[in-house]
Amino acid sequence: MNLKTVLGGVTYSFADLKEVMAKANEEKSGDRLAGVAAETVQERIAAKSVLSDILLSEIRNNPLISPEEDEVSRIIENDINEKIYGEIQNWSVAELREYILSNEVGDRELKRVSRGLTSEMIAAVAKLMSNLDLVHAANKIEILTTCNITIGRNGTISSRLQPNHPTDNVDGMIASLKEGLSYGVGDAVIGINPVDDSVESVKRLLHATKDFMNEWEIPTQNCVLAHVTTQMKAIEQGAPADMIFQSIAGTEKANRSFGISADLIAEAKDLALKQGTGSGPQVMYFETGQGSELSAEAHYGIDQLTLESRNYGFARHYDPFIVNTVVGFIGPEYLYNNKQVIRAGLEDHFMGKMHGIPMGVDICYTNHIKADQNDIEDLSVLLSAAGVNFIIAAPMGDDVMLNYQSMSYHDVATLLNTFGKTPAPEYLQWLEKMGIYENGRLSARAGDPTIFTR
């Protein structure tokens, strides 16, 4: 494996694949914090040049974390289709990029080739792509999943309705829920982040959302985003949960810091299939975000984009209904400004789709990051063009419980209208029955939560 190149009369030499991968990454404050980023633009270009000539077999044969010491690595390695890998193992990363972007290659071909790729290979090719490349490539891939309804069809953008409340007050949550539904939001999931992670609180919120769904015959899914073990206890005690949620990371050590393991996630999936209220077959919901492994001091000197890709290799193993990156939530120590947030959102979405998983994005930022609402609206437009499976929305784009800025209910409606897209077909049919949509578009009554009064 060649790890050296000469540019402009200067020789650039890299110690190993890990260093090449890190220094080929677009600038991220998290990589600089970890001490793995390129020192100059010229060094970044040199690393990209070296990476472009590395063979896929060389990436697989030089694991960044050995499968013997990391269960995420083992899962990624064991899930590879050897026949497909054998057909492409001698491709360079540059050749993989050309294949993905080729006009002759579409959804079927990309889904097939993805089964022969490790997460590190997908991360490597993302590093060689421009923002437009990431949009174009992701838009080729259609990922359909089914829990109670099917989402992900071309021509649709689904959404998670996030009616969080700072005290988990059910009446307050229901008020936000009604407003979101009145804008046509919520076909991906009605998903609540609880303040109180107790079993009783989770049960109360699950019952409240399910009762409301049943009363109004809403074709969607519910979930309360407590720790996986809390949700499991709630389900075992009879709480009606359509899915089980968990935040995940790209290394076994980082997952341990979240209090999870591969076996625990497998156990949760089995419980959701046997005792959950979702129809399935997909019943899991995962959330990710660049930088979590560094926060947990479990990054092994690997850049945050590559670790994020490993998240998706881990998630793929459990056949999830939805996955989303929370792209600007952690803060400026990992993604410093609008440029880095936009880049990371496009990278994550592309890498998720290249893993064959139903990829969504929480298009968001915290108030101490150098970004504003216009920046995340820019990202929302790019992701809509990229065929994002779903986005997350909170009342007025302001999550009063988690204290960060996201997309609003009316932002989702605007994106759908601008791009001529709709919610998932089953949900759209219900929206039209309720008078919220007419002829595939929001009606004059949309945005009126009194629709949900008897």
Side-chain angles (χ1 to χ4, degrees), residues 144-158 181 184-188 216-221 279-282 321 422-437:
L144 304 181
T145 52
T146 303
C147 186
N148 291 334
I149 66 171
T150 298
I151 67 169
R153 297 189 190 281
N154 288 337
T156 69
I157 300 176
S158 293
L181 293 170
V185 172
D187 50 337
W216 293 95
E217 300 179 323
I218 307 171
T220 187
Q221 298 72 216
S279 302
Q282 283 87 31
F321 176 65
T422 68
E426 295 162 80
Y427 199 66
L428 177 61
Q429 185 177 8
W430 175 78
L431 291 170
E432 292 187 334
K433 182 182 77 172
M434 295 295 297
I436 297 168
Y437 264 65

Side-chain angles (χ1 to χ4, degrees), residues 327-328 337-339 341-342 361-383 391-400 403-415:
V327 71
N337 58 20
N338 56 345
K339 183 175 182 179
V341 168
I342 288 170
V361 180
D362 190 353
I363 308 167
C364 62
Y365 66 103
T366 54
N367 287 313
H368 61 313
I369 199 171
K370 289 187 178 297
D372 61 25
Q373 201 71 21
N374 283 332
D375 296 316
I376 64 166
E377 288 179 9
D378 289 347
L379 178 55
S380 74
V381 169
L382 289 167
L383 287 166
I391 56 180
I392 293 177
M396 297 300 294
D398 184 8
D399 192 306
V400 295
N403 195 28
Y404 78 117
Q405 312 307 308
S406 186
M407 302 302 289
S408 71
Y409 300 148
H410 56 276
D411 289 333
V412 174
T414 301
L415 288 168

Side-chain angles (χ1 to χ4, degrees), residues 182-183 434-436 438 442-453:
S182 74
Y183 278 105
M434 295 295 297
I436 297 168
E438 289 178 356
L442 286 173
S443 71
R445 200 176 178 195
D448 178 6
T450 65
I451 292 170
F452 299 98
T453 56

Side-chain angles (χ1 to χ4, degrees), residues 10-168:
V10 178
T11 299
Y12 295 89
S13 183
F14 304 95
D16 51 26
L17 178 62
K18 185 184 297 185
E19 184 180 7
V20 172
M21 293 277 282
K23 292 189 173 181
N25 200 15
E26 292 297 302
E27 185 171 6
K28 306 283 174 58
S29 55
D31 291 338
R32 196 158 295 283
L33 180 64
V36 302
E39 291 298 322
T40 64
V41 172
Q42 291 83 354
E43 187 181 27
R44 182 175 300 112
I45 293 170
K48 289 177 184 287
S49 177
V50 169
L51 181 61
S52 69
D53 290 330
I54 289 175
L55 302 183
L56 301 184
S57 60
E58 292 174 322
I59 293 177
R60 189 177 188 187
N61 294 334
N62 293 273
L64 303 186
I65 310 177
S66 170
E68 284 70 36
E69 60 179 282
D70 181 271
E71 67 182 11
V72 176
S73 294
R74 285 197 296 277
I75 285 172
I76 293 168
E77 174 67 20
N78 292 337
D79 282 351
I80 294 303
N81 181 297
E82 295 294 346
K83 177 176 175 56
I84 297 171
Y85 168 73
E87 297 170 6
I88 62 175
Q89 61 180 322
N90 292 322
W91 289 7
S92 66
V93 178
E95 288 172 326
L96 175 60
R97 175 183 175 275
E98 291 302 311
Y99 180 81
I100 291 170
L101 297 176
S102 169
N103 288 335
E104 286 70 47
V105 172
D107 174 70
R108 181 178 60 83
E109 292 85 0
L110 290 179
K111 285 176 181 171
R112 182 178 188 276
V113 79
S114 75
R115 297 173 61 213
L117 298 173
T118 67
S119 299
E120 287 79 1
M121 296 172 195
I122 292 171
V125 77
K127 295 169 191 288
L128 301 185
M129 289 186 165
S130 70
N131 286 6
L132 183 56
D133 290 340
L134 295 170
V135 169
H136 175 64
N139 188 52
K140 293 184 176 189
I141 306 171
E142 181 185 53
I143 308 293
L144 304 181
T145 52
T146 303
C147 186
N148 291 334
I149 66 171
T150 298
I151 67 169
R153 297 189 190 281
N154 288 337
T156 69
I157 300 176
S158 293
S159 53
R160 169 183 157 193
L161 202 167
Q162 184 169 292
N164 293 346
H165 191 276
T167 64
D168 290 343

